[in-house]
Amino acid sequence: LAFSRQQAHKMIPVRIQHILKEVLTLSRATIPMNIKIDHCLQPECGLTLADPTQIHQIAMNLITNAYHAVENSDGQISVRVQEVVLDNNDTTDMSIEPGRYAMLSVEDNGTGIPPVHLQKIFDPYFTTKEQGKGTGLGLAVVYGIVKENKGDIRVSSTLGEGTVFKVYLPLMPVSRISSSVKGEVPLKGGVERILLIDDELPIVKLEKQMLERLGYTVSARTSSADALEAFKSHPDAYDLVITDMSMPIMTGDQLAKEILAVRPDMPIIICTGFSEKMNAAVAKSIGVKGLLMKPIEKSDMAQMAREVLDKANPSR
């Protein structure tokens, strides 16, 4: 169905770099440590209109294919997400128009693909893998999803050197995603103390800046373990904890449970992208007071922080 583009999906504005972060966490847990996985996910890459589950499928299939290409050696997989602007010369041999695109590339230094197979790799059920290693549907699904989203996919490969897949998905026009300045309601801030945790430095810097401009005092950490140690040392030094969900060593929900074990009344907000592990019901069941879905706008952050703080301290 994906290959023939006959599926109905809920299309929402998403930042694929946030979904890729979830995919990389899952991939790292299943791919042996002798296979190096490096990534560069451009924080500033814009929004694309897509089904988050489908973006997850694209990334998982491409990374799994890359792993199969390098599994017999101490190979390397490189994942990149960045915003690109394509002109007429760039799109000459492509099925897309010039414009702004999010480009996802997955590269490996594995066995490579024989030239005779390159024209068939997106065909349903075509596979060169041994029995039990694949169905031949992975790349067909990727192809169908990309085309359904008015994008394109390119592949280049050299035998014995490796393969790179590049997926181009159109970005939403800025005019559609930027809010009008006229009539905006002033954002309500505060003076409370916030412990902020996200393992990606560019994101934690941006969110820290958002909150400080609203008047809050922010202590930022890029390690959930460091954040927990800081909290245990001074549990009364914070009025609110805002943490990312997908982090190495200790995920956001695990960190929340540890913090609440020390101070049960501590208000916590979890930020998440695409995640099957975290939703409003799960958050509530473990005592988390707020859930923010990525990409996070300043207005959403301001509103959620204020709501959670006011409920925790109604007398203020």
Side-chain angles (χ1 to χ4, degrees):
L1 286 171
F3 182 81
S4 58
R5 286 168 267 167
Q6 295 178 26
Q7 288 178 298
H9 294 279
K10 183 180 179 182
M11 312 292 273
I12 62 172
V14 295
R15 292 191 190 275
I16 65 174
Q17 61 270 38
H18 295 322
I19 299 173
L20 260 293
K21 184 181 173 185
E22 302 273 356
V23 173
L24 286 163
T25 300
L26 179 60
S27 299
R28 184 68 282 176
T30 56
I31 294 176
M33 293 304 295
N34 64 304
I35 306 299
K36 183 180 179 183
I37 303 176
D38 69 68
H39 67 276
C40 181
L41 311 179
Q42 184 186 59
E44 300 83 11
C45 185
L47 292 160
T48 184
L49 194 63
D51 181 332
T53 305
Q54 287 193 321
I55 303 300
H56 191 275
Q57 283 182 285
I58 290 174
M60 279 299 300
N61 282 332
L62 292 180
I63 291 173
T64 300
N65 269 9
Y67 162 57
H68 287 157
V70 299
E71 64 180 327
N72 294 324
S73 62
D74 293 334
Q76 179 171 321
I77 300 170
S78 299
V79 180
R80 301 282 184 272
V81 172
Q82 66 184 93
E83 183 172 325
V84 297
V85 179
L86 303 180
D87 59 25
N88 286 313
N89 293 328
D90 298 320
T91 58
T92 301
D93 298 322
M94 303 172 75
S95 60
I96 52 178
E97 299 294 324
R100 295 169 56 248
Y101 289 84
M103 184 187 75
L104 160 64
S105 70
V106 178
E107 183 175 1
D108 67 71
N109 62 348
T111 55
I113 303 171
V116 68
H117 292 155
L118 277 177
Q119 301 301 318
K120 302 177 182 179
I121 59 172
F122 297 119
D123 293 350
Y125 302 110
F126 175 78
T127 180
T128 59
K129 298 174 185 176
E130 62 187 76
Q131 190 170 359
K133 281 292 181 67
T135 61
L137 286 173
L139 289 177
V141 167
V142 169
Y143 180 89
I145 293 172
V146 171
K147 292 299 181 179
E148 184 179 10
N149 285 272
K150 298 181 173 59
D152 202 359
I153 181 168
R154 304 277 93 184
V155 57
S156 58
S157 185
T158 304
L159 282 176
E161 295 184 13
T163 302
V164 56
F165 285 88
K166 293 183 178 180
V167 172
Y168 298 88
L169 296 172
L171 292 174
M172 296 175 65
V174 176
S175 59
R176 289 183 60 187
I177 60 176
S178 60
S179 56
S180 172
V181 175
K182 293 182 179 179
E184 280 190 351
V185 177
L187 300 180
K188 189 176 179 182
V191 295
E192 289 89 347
R193 303 157 300 171
I194 297 176
L195 177 59
L196 174 68
I197 311 105
D198 194 298
D199 63 307
E200 293 203 24
L201 186 58
I203 293 176
V204 84
K205 282 184 175 179
L206 179 63
E207 292 180 352
K208 184 175 188 288
Q209 187 180 64
M210 279 185 192
L211 292 164
E212 287 180 337
R213 287 180 176 175
L214 291 167
Y216 297 107
T217 299
V218 183
S219 177
R221 297 286 190 279
T222 55
S223 163
S224 49
D226 289 347
L228 180 59
E229 184 177 345
F231 183 84
K232 285 182 174 180
S233 299
H234 302 284
D236 295 321
Y238 309 101
D239 301 301
L240 173 66
V241 173
I242 301 176
T243 178
D244 184 37
M245 174 62 188
S246 178
M247 296 182 290
I249 302 176
M250 188 184 303
T251 57
D253 57 333
Q254 293 171 333
L255 176 61
K257 290 175 184 177
E258 293 287 343
I259 287 174
L260 291 171
V262 176
R263 189 178 152 190
D265 65 332
M266 189 71 219
I268 300 173
I269 296 171
I270 288 182
C271 306
T272 184
F274 174 82
S275 177
E276 296 176 350
K277 290 183 61 179
M278 181 53 58
N279 54 46
V282 173
K284 185 177 180 180
S285 70
I286 63 177
V288 170
K289 303 302 182 185
L291 188 65
L292 279 172
M293 300 303 296
K294 295 180 177 180
I296 298 171
E297 299 290 338
K298 185 177 180 180
S299 57
D300 296 331
M301 177 77 84
Q303 181 179 350
M304 178 66 73
R306 198 62 261 154
E307 284 180 3
V308 169
L309 284 165
D310 289 344
K311 285 180 181 178
N313 299 281
S315 60
R316 287 190 181 180

